[in-house]
Amino acid sequence: MLLASLNPAAVAAGGDRSDAVTIDGTTLSRSDLVGAATSVAERVAGLPRVAVLAEPTVSTVLAIVGALIAGVPVIPVPSDVGAAERAHILGDSGAVAWLGAPGDDTLPVVPVRVHARSWHRYREPDPDAVALIIYTSGTTGAPKGVPVRRAQIAADIDALAKAWAWTADDTLVHGLPLFHVHGLVLGLLGSLRIGNRFCHTGKPTPEAYATAGGTMYFGVPTVWSRIAANPEAASALRGARLLISGSAALPTPVFERLRELTGHAPIERYGSTESLITLSTTVDGERRPGWVGTPLDGVSTRLVGEDGTLAPHDGETIGRLEVRGPMVFGGYLGRPDATEEAFDDGWYRTGDVAVIGADGMHRIVGRESVDLIKTGGYRVGAGEIETALLGHPGVAEAAVVGVDDEDLGQRIVAYVVGDADEAELIDYVAQQLSAHKRPREVRKVDTLPRNAMGKVLKRQLAGGAK
């Protein structure tokens, strides 16, 4: 059963919890959540697909859970989506109605009544049925729909529960969007499956995290960076069990500062919309800055070199990362061409490049399209240079891209937020790493362009670096 803790029979047998979900200033018991969500299920049962404007509200939680109870696929629509992208998502997905708050006036609206209750019993849908259709960020064209099956979600949450010793006794806290895997699948649906308390802070500020009283905290690097810069808030997290970072690489200086201030070395993990989470450091294993751990139960990985042969697991050789496992998707919605391109004999081509150590630990170098820089005959990972730059006291943020160059093939250009001198930074990287990995240019900026999950939009930087 996907949402095991929402089994009405379990609630009736004494499995209720008075504070199952806290969001937008409202706390729901598990029985209230079951009753209200089942009332939603009665209004949408039989519909082919529904869209939910995924704002962090009680209505959003009830809409998503109610549709899942009824076996109706949900399309979570970003709350800040632009008109053109919203029209694409609605048209491409085949959504027939807005469930809850309307995102526009192009579809009819099925209301979510927070105080309504129903105790109708719904049969658990087939494990292979689609639970969610989540749209990619669209960095390589229009966003693609990723159908996520119920069995994928269950397999991933169960594997993470083992890796993180995640139990019903935990209180999970985060303030992340509810339209991505991180906040929605892991945060909300993970909590409902495991049966732990779930607390959404609204904006993920250091102060909100500090007062939430959680045992587990989810955050993207931007969130953790702000907490690391706030010693008082960071020290309040000493009573937690796990600090978990994902969606982008956590800079080593932030990792170390969190360990110093909170007493916890953060858990890092890796995944994507298409594969959910496939790699993670573990509750009882090594947590090494810059490394995202080993494969979860049921997951296999491989590195493929430029010549198509398997790359060695020596901790140095960069290769294209491919994965397979029960949480990996089966193909894009209505895009057989993109699906064929994404797979190689059952292996999902993640589009990321990585290195794997002899101990099985993985380090993500970055996206093959923007983070693997081929300069002067060398293959260089942008992430390694960014980590080096962030070690300089005059650098607050850094992003590195490769720009076409007639002589080198690509030249390394670094964008930094900070007050360090350009020549000093170039020399600093050359001393920390090999000379060929030094930036040829350093450009100072006030901010780095980022998406809702805190990932730097490198295509914007590369497009502006000529």
Side-chain angles (χ1 to χ4, degrees), residues 71 156 225 316 407:
D156 203 48
S225 177
E316 295 289 340
D407 179 44

Side-chain angles (χ1 to χ4, degrees), residues 80-118:
D80 61 350
V81 68
E85 185 174 340
R86 180 176 59 240
H88 167 74
I89 290 173
L90 296 178
D92 186 72
S93 67
V96 299
W98 286 106
L99 180 53
D104 61 16
D105 58 3
T106 63
L107 296 176
V109 177
V110 178
V112 170
R113 299 186 175 95
V114 174
H115 300 291
R117 298 291 183 269
S118 170

Side-chain angles (χ1 to χ4, degrees), residues 372-393:
L372 180 60
I373 303 171
K374 299 176 183 178
T375 180
Y378 294 98
R379 286 158 55 89
V380 177
E384 185 178 17
I385 305 169
E386 290 162 359
T387 297
L389 287 166
L390 289 167
H392 190 285

Side-chain angles (χ1 to χ4, degrees), residues 268-270 279-282 286 288 290-295 356 360-363:
E268 294 192 67
R269 86 302 181 279
Y270 165 82
L279 302 168
S280 181
T281 51
T282 62
E286 181 184 5
R288 190 187 309 165
W291 296 73
V292 294
T294 54
I356 303 177
M361 287 281 279
H362 291 59
R363 178 170 63 84

Side-chain angles (χ1 to χ4, degrees), residues 64 72 102 140 210 246 288 338 369 396 419 444 452:
I64 291 172
V72 176
T140 56
R288 190 187 309 165
S369 56
D419 56 9
K444 293 185 180 181

Side-chain angles (χ1 to χ4, degrees), residues 208-234:
Y209 274 41
T211 59
T215 62
M216 296 171 62
Y217 288 82
F218 285 176
V220 297
T222 302
V223 172
W224 293 123
S225 177
R226 291 171 181 169
I227 290 173
N230 186 326
E232 184 177 355

Side-chain angles (χ1 to χ4, degrees), residues 12 61 84 97-98 111 172 198 204 235 248 270 300 354 421 453 458:
V61 171
W98 286 106
L172 174 59
F198 172 80
S235 65
Y270 165 82
S300 300
D421 177 74
M453 296 303 291
K458 289 194 173 184

